[in-house]
Amino acid sequence: MEFQALYDSPFILKLSFEKLIQKMESEAFQNAEYALSHKRILEKTKEIPELTEGIKDLDFFVKNETLMKDLLKDLFPPMLTKNEIKAIGFPFYNFFFNPTERFQTIIEQAGENFDLLIKDMDPHRFYVMCCCIILKNFYNVQINFSLPFIFDIPNEDGIVNHYRFLNNVDFMELRALENFKMLTEDEIAELIDNVEDQELWKEKFPPGSWEMKGFAVISFFDATTESAISNLKSKLINIEDDKNLKEEMNTIFRSIFQVADLEVGYTAIDHEGNKFVRSPINGIMDSFILTSAPRNFKTEMICEKSFNTLVESKKYFSVSDVDRSFQDYPESQMAKQLYESGIKSAIFAPIIKDKKILGIVELVSKNKLLNSINANKMEIVMPYLVDTMDRLYTGIETRIEAIIQREYTSIHPSVYWKFRQEAERHIGFYREEFDLPYRNISFQNLTPLFGQTDIRNSSISRNLVIKQDLEIQLRLITDLLSKFSYDNDLESFKEKLAKSQKLLDKDLKADTENQVQTFILSEIHPLFASIKLQNIEYNQLVTDYYKKLDPRTNMVYDFRRKFDDSLSSINKNLADILDKRQEEQQHRFPFYYERFKTDGLEHNMYIGSSIAPDLTYDPVFLKNLRLWQLRVLCESELQYNQFRKNLEYSLDVSSLILVYSTPISIRFRMDEKRFDVDGSYNARYEMIKKRIDKSTVKNSTERITQPGKISIIFSQERERQDYLSLIKILQNQNILESTVEELEVEDLQGINGLKALRVTVNYEAKDVDYEFVEGI
């Protein structure tokens, strides 16, 4: 029978030992001692033509077990069979022969129904990998397709272990069959540029068009910890969006600690109250320390030390025998809780950021398998947990602030009187009734004004700085490796380094940063640590390398820091200008104002007689507010043009105004604690606001908003005329350039007929005049 793969393949397989026998005969010819020791097996191979012509019957190995062990003795030393994980087979195929005892035991423990499949290998990827073997060995194409291929194999306890494998193909040869196609350089180039085109690869390498003869020696390495850490980092990146995070985290930590029932939890610390407390993070991770109410940790005893020791010392804390701890400290609420939960052992690790404990990571098991010895494994995962928890806490704080602003908006001075009036009504200042129901507060017939100054291509810039930092670090590593005199030992690292550099030559994908960081932190940095121990003369070289890294992440963080600092500075600068100017403008006629920081700044304003009913409202106030808005965006552009010179990372900004003349009503929604447009018709305004940000010029791909220009989007001819007159005022003051572009906006979903004026800011302008203009 022929050997066939699980998926389609360009190969017809022929299991043969011809090249091995030839090599043995050559060695025997040159070495008399070798010839004597291998004389019997070499003579025996001549009697069995299948060994060289190809083995077709799988029962051959059973019938000739002794012969095969003798033939493969040099490759599979009997003394190592209980230690090495090795077999013979074909590259990327999932069947193996002559496994070592350790490999056979691993397969048996996985269970009868276990299928030995390469992780993340699909039919197309398998086919391309096989074709790459041909490209490299027949066409001499220098193509690096060596990825960390992994088999996930559960043990008898159900813990998933991860095994990386390498192929030794010294005893294999490829032969083109009659139906093969000789490829030109152009065809090879086309293949390399179209790795996802399945039909193209099958056209150039038809199934069964090549023969793969011989065998590969396939060696497996236990990469459980390394792979589990990589999986952990991947999960932590999208921790808030992963609905199965709890079980996936448990699976990952079970692989690392080799504890089948291990579970992961988290409890926050309230330093002011000296308490363990629940936090929003407990929505995705359980707490084993707490059941419900917060609890003081100052007097909590669970073994010979109080739990306060963990908080103060900031070191790992393990309980190897919960039963004994509960017996010794029966008054301990924590010991009692763990005991009653059936937990037998636990490890508690503090999450420390900027010398402050954020909370405690908890590992628990219902077996006595966790202790102070294996607690040291936390060292390899804590940096990722610390960064993730810090990111989560920062995100939580940001969301809390957003909720406070959105749901419990601070009352703007322009509308404070209305809230006070309603509060007085509620407590009975003006009426005899008490405990009146709360009423929604609304303002009718207001004209809205919306504007934004947006940081252009911030996502692209963010990816670019990440890429630049990674490229710098890879160059530092390349330079350092070139100074070490372990050429042969470092070859595999140099190959992986080249692969990482190649990843960065392309556009940054979602997982590219993670892949490169994983390689650096889990392979390169341990290598440097090992080299320092082995050769003291390299200590200074490695130390100098680490000095160039950010101490918190052990990664180059130069361009990313400049980008983050610049983005923060831009937002603060723009917000300061807008906040200051709106306070000044409130004296003309009060208007409701709110602003939001994103990658840039957005602001909403509403003006009308209902905002200040005790004052006389005139349409001239709206015109002046529109002129003020146009001016303040010009001032923001002008000041930013000067301010950007001081930034470490310069970014472009673009400004936009939405003109909407139809009066609307806003209502403070008591259930949501915020202002919102009132009524379905008024909702059209909000819809337009959300959709114009990325709008384009009609029949083109050009964005309406452009750096250095103010874009004004409108729908009515009267609005066009009004803004042309406002633009003229600023042109006369030399704040805006003389040319005004008139554009049509590409139709948006549910929104048609929008138009735009676009005018360039004159960066040579001096000061912006905010004087009140009558009769405009």
Side-chain angles (χ1 to χ4, degrees):
M1 63 175 288
E2 293 180 343
F3 298 104
Q4 290 299 328
L6 184 64
Y7 305 126
D8 283 346
S9 162
F11 293 125
I12 291 176
L13 305 180
K14 183 176 286 188
L15 184 60
S16 166
F17 295 88
E18 182 176 13
K19 292 192 73 173
L20 173 62
I21 294 171
Q22 289 174 352
K23 192 165 185 177
M24 292 173 66
E25 289 174 341
S26 173
E27 186 69 22
F29 179 77
Q30 300 175 32
N31 188 322
E33 185 176 337
Y34 184 90
L36 182 62
S37 62
H38 289 71
K39 178 180 179 181
R40 184 187 64 80
I41 187 62
L42 286 173
E43 289 177 349
K44 186 69 175 177
T45 58
K46 295 176 181 178
E47 300 174 5
I48 306 175
E50 292 100 320
L51 290 173
T52 54
E53 295 173 4
I55 298 170
K56 298 180 179 179
D57 187 351
L58 295 179
D59 290 337
F60 179 89
F61 288 95
V62 178
K63 297 176 182 177
N64 298 277
E65 182 179 359
T66 303
L67 169 68
M68 294 310 302
K69 286 186 177 181
D70 288 342
L71 180 62
L72 296 168
K73 184 181 294 185
D74 290 349
L75 301 177
F76 291 79
M79 297 294 289
L80 300 179
T81 189
K82 296 182 183 296
N83 181 59
E84 292 186 338
I85 311 172
K86 195 160 65 173
I88 62 172
F90 294 99
F92 312 128
Y93 286 75
N94 66 332
F95 47 82
F96 306 97
F97 309 98
N98 197 58
T100 59
E101 287 188 24
R102 183 178 176 191
F103 188 23
Q104 186 64 41
T105 300
I106 290 171
I107 298 302
E108 290 174 355
Q109 289 180 348
E112 295 181 359
N113 298 322
F114 174 71
D115 291 324
L116 196 61
L117 299 176
I118 300 175
K119 183 179 181 180
D120 298 328
M121 182 68 79
D122 56 54
H124 175 60
R125 188 183 184 198
F126 175 81
Y127 204 97
V128 170
M129 291 295 101
C130 292
C131 295
C132 286
I133 294 175
I134 302 171
L135 287 175
K136 186 173 184 179
N137 292 277
F138 183 81
Y139 291 99
N140 295 317
V141 177
Q142 297 305 308
I143 182 170
N144 184 0
F145 59 94
S146 59
L147 298 173
F149 296 110
I150 300 287
F151 281 106
D152 288 347
I153 307 176
N155 64 16
E156 56 189 348
D157 296 321
I159 300 171
V160 177
N161 292 317
H162 311 283
Y163 296 91
R164 178 179 293 182
F165 67 91
L166 299 175
N167 297 305
N168 183 325
V169 295
D170 289 347
F171 306 102
M172 284 181 50
E173 58 184 351
L174 303 180
R175 183 171 69 89
L177 301 179
E178 292 181 359
N179 60 332
F180 100 105
K181 292 185 177 182
M182 178 60 74
L183 303 182
T184 65
E185 290 185 7
D186 289 342
E187 288 176 311
I188 293 173
E190 183 183 10
L191 284 168
I192 292 174
D193 290 336
N194 294 277
V195 69
E196 300 299 331
D197 192 336
Q198 185 172 359
E199 296 304 318
L200 177 65
W201 284 86
K202 286 194 173 183
E203 175 193 340
K204 304 303 181 184
F205 295 97
S209 60
W210 287 79
E211 179 184 80
M212 181 184 283
K213 182 181 179 182
F215 68 93
V217 179
I218 303 172
S219 300
F220 295 80
F221 305 91
D222 191 336
T224 298
T225 300
E226 173 189 346
S227 183
I229 292 172
S230 179
N231 292 338
L232 175 65
K233 287 187 283 186
S234 298
K235 295 300 176 187
L236 293 179
I237 289 175
N238 300 308
I239 188 170
E240 293 176 282
D241 301 323
D242 197 331
K243 296 180 180 179
N244 300 318
L245 179 73
K246 177 181 175 181
E247 288 305 316
E248 290 170 345
M249 289 282 283
N250 288 342
T251 299
I252 290 170
F253 274 86
R254 287 168 187 173
S255 293
I256 295 174
F257 281 83
Q258 294 293 293
V259 176
D261 68 340
L262 185 148
E263 292 189 68
V264 185
Y266 181 79
T267 302
I269 295 284
D270 173 13
H271 288 273
E272 293 182 2
N274 296 320
K275 293 179 179 179
F276 295 122
V277 295
R278 299 183 70 85
S279 73
I281 296 173
N282 291 124
I284 51 179
M285 294 178 70
D286 293 332
S287 169
F288 297 102
I289 292 177
L290 289 176
T291 52
S292 55
R295 188 165 64 239
N296 191 298
F297 60 72
K298 279 284 188 180
T299 57
E300 191 70 69
M301 298 290 291
I302 194 169
C303 61
E304 65 275 5
K305 299 178 182 178
S306 71
F307 215 91
N308 189 48
T309 304
L310 167 69
V311 178
E312 291 183 347
S313 67
K314 301 180 176 64
K315 295 180 180 179
Y316 303 149
F317 186 95
S318 64
V319 183
S320 59
D321 190 338
V322 171
D323 293 350
R324 185 179 62 192
S325 294
F326 179 57
Q327 182 179 350
D328 293 343
Y329 300 93
E331 301 302 319
S332 169
Q333 291 297 313
M334 185 179 301
K336 180 181 179 181
Q337 180 179 313
L338 295 177
Y339 175 80
E340 291 179 348
S341 299
I343 294 170
K344 301 299 183 183
S345 59
I347 294 172
F348 303 99
I351 296 291
I352 303 170
K353 191 70 176 181
D354 298 328
K355 299 182 180 180
K356 179 181 178 182
I357 293 184
L358 301 178
I360 307 294
V361 172
E362 313 154 347
L363 306 184
V364 301
S365 170
K366 294 189 177 181
N367 292 285
K368 298 177 183 179
L369 298 173
L370 300 175
N371 48 61
S372 62
I373 297 175
N374 55 20
N376 289 317
K377 289 189 175 183
M378 291 299 291
E379 293 282 356
I380 59 179
V381 299
M382 287 306 292
Y384 313 114
L385 292 175
V386 169
D387 286 345
T388 299
M389 290 302 172
D390 181 53
R391 175 165 53 85
L392 280 177
Y393 272 99
T394 301
I396 289 169
E397 288 302 316
T398 300
R399 290 170 64 182
I400 289 173
E401 290 298 323
I403 289 171
I404 291 173
Q405 283 191 4
R406 185 176 67 249
E407 309 295 347
Y408 306 94
T409 310
S410 297
I411 306 304
H412 192 264
S414 63
V415 294
Y416 178 81
W417 64 270
K418 184 90 170 185
F419 287 86
R420 180 176 180 84
Q421 186 181 84
E422 177 61 21
E424 290 173 348
R425 185 196 72 85
H426 180 75
I427 62 176
F429 276 17
Y430 300 113
R431 301 183 61 170
E432 293 181 0
E433 302 91 282
F434 289 84
D435 256 340
L436 298 173
Y438 290 101
R439 298 186 305 191
N440 287 319
I441 294 173
S442 62
F443 298 87
Q444 289 76 38
N445 296 316
L446 301 178
T447 301
L449 297 92
F450 171 76
Q452 71 172 31
T453 302
D454 181 54
I455 296 174
R456 297 272 294 188
N457 301 321
S458 56
S459 297
I460 296 174
S461 297
R462 188 175 283 106
N463 283 341
L464 179 61
V465 297
I466 291 172
K467 184 176 180 180
Q468 287 175 308
D469 280 339
L470 292 176
E471 286 174 340
I472 290 172
Q473 187 154 6
L474 292 181
R475 285 198 296 270
L476 292 174
I477 293 169
T478 300
D479 292 341
L480 190 52
L481 287 178
S482 68
K483 296 174 182 178
F484 297 148
S485 59
Y486 298 86
D487 294 343
N488 293 332
D489 294 337
L490 300 179
E491 201 58 37
S492 64
F493 290 95
K494 291 179 179 178
E495 289 177 3
K496 294 176 184 177
L497 188 61
K499 176 194 165 189
S500 295
Q501 290 168 328
K502 189 174 181 181
L503 281 176
L504 297 180
D505 290 338
K506 305 174 183 177
D507 290 336
L508 213 64
K509 295 182 179 179
D511 64 339
T512 301
E513 180 187 8
N514 180 51
Q515 288 186 47
V516 177
Q517 283 189 351
T518 298
F519 167 61
I520 293 173
L521 297 175
S522 64
E523 296 193 44
I524 291 296
H525 286 180
L527 170 68
F528 288 170
S530 175
I531 288 175
K532 281 181 66 176
L533 291 174
Q534 295 177 24
N535 198 326
I536 195 170
E537 68 181 271
Y538 294 140
N539 277 4
Q540 191 58 47
L541 293 174
V542 176
T543 300
D544 291 342
Y545 162 78
Y546 278 104
K547 286 180 180 178
K548 298 172 184 176
L549 309 183
D550 181 80
R552 297 170 300 173
T553 61
N554 270 344
M555 298 292 296
V556 171
Y557 199 68
D558 295 337
F559 285 95
R560 181 66 183 273
R561 177 187 55 78
K562 292 175 183 178
F563 174 82
D564 289 342
D565 290 348
S566 296
L567 193 65
S568 177
S569 297
I570 293 170
N571 279 339
K572 183 179 185 304
N573 182 266
L574 295 176
D576 288 346
I577 294 171
L578 193 60
D579 290 347
K580 178 182 177 182
R581 295 306 181 195
Q582 73 88 22
E583 287 180 6
E584 297 169 355
Q585 188 67 12
Q586 292 288 344
H587 298 297
R588 311 289 190 191
F589 189 91
F591 56 93
Y592 182 77
Y593 159 84
E594 60 184 3
R595 61 135 174 97
F596 307 95
K597 289 181 181 178
T598 54
D599 277 1
L601 203 68
E602 294 182 0
H603 65 270
N604 292 310
M605 297 180 294
Y606 301 92
I607 190 169
S609 60
S610 61
I611 293 289
D614 293 334
L615 300 176
T616 301
Y617 177 76
D618 191 288
V620 73
F621 293 120
L622 169 62
K623 292 183 178 181
N624 270 278
L625 187 59
R626 284 177 168 172
L627 178 60
W628 170 88
Q629 183 187 35
L630 185 57
R631 279 173 166 156
V632 82
L633 288 184
C634 289
E635 182 183 8
S636 296
E637 288 272 356
L638 291 170
Q639 287 207 22
Y640 176 67
N641 188 53
Q642 296 298 318
F643 174 71
R644 72 185 300 172
K645 298 174 184 177
N646 301 320
L647 294 175
E648 292 188 283
Y649 195 95
S650 183
L651 294 159
D652 290 327
V653 300
S654 58
S655 299
L656 174 145
I657 289 173
L658 171 63
V659 187
Y660 196 87
S661 298
T662 304
I664 68 173
S665 299
I666 61 173
R667 180 169 52 142
F668 190 83
R669 301 187 182 278
M670 296 298 293
D671 55 340
E672 298 177 3
K673 300 295 185 292
R674 68 184 181 92
F675 273 108
D676 197 2
V677 293
D678 193 15
S680 58
Y681 178 77
N682 294 328
R684 175 177 170 79
Y685 168 68
E686 289 294 327
M687 183 173 67
I688 295 174
K689 274 171 46 180
K690 292 177 180 177
R691 295 180 181 172
I692 59 173
D693 182 31
K694 301 294 190 296
S695 60
T696 59
V697 177
K698 196 161 190 174
N699 300 323
S700 79
T701 58
E702 179 186 358
R703 289 268 293 274
I704 287 290
T705 56
Q706 292 294 325
K709 298 182 179 183
I710 308 292
S711 300
I712 304 165
I713 295 180
F714 62 93
S715 60
Q716 301 178 26
E717 176 60 20
R718 178 165 53 86
E719 294 168 345
R720 172 181 172 273
Q721 293 297 333
D722 287 347
Y723 271 85
L724 283 174
S725 66
L726 300 180
I727 290 171
K728 186 65 177 176
I729 293 172
L730 298 188
Q731 287 175 331
N732 291 338
Q733 295 177 0
N734 204 31
I735 295 171
L736 293 175
E737 300 282 358
S738 59
T739 302
V740 179
E741 298 173 78
E742 299 202 30
L743 310 166
E744 290 186 58
V745 180
E746 187 69 50
D747 291 343
L748 306 173
Q749 182 181 355
I751 305 169
N752 303 321
L754 294 180
K755 298 179 182 180
L757 300 174
R758 195 164 66 188
V759 59
T760 302
V761 177
N762 177 19
Y763 287 120
E764 301 300 320
K766 302 298 182 183
D767 297 319
V768 179
D769 184 5
Y770 283 89
E771 67 175 341
F772 188 92
V773 181
E774 296 184 7
I776 59 172

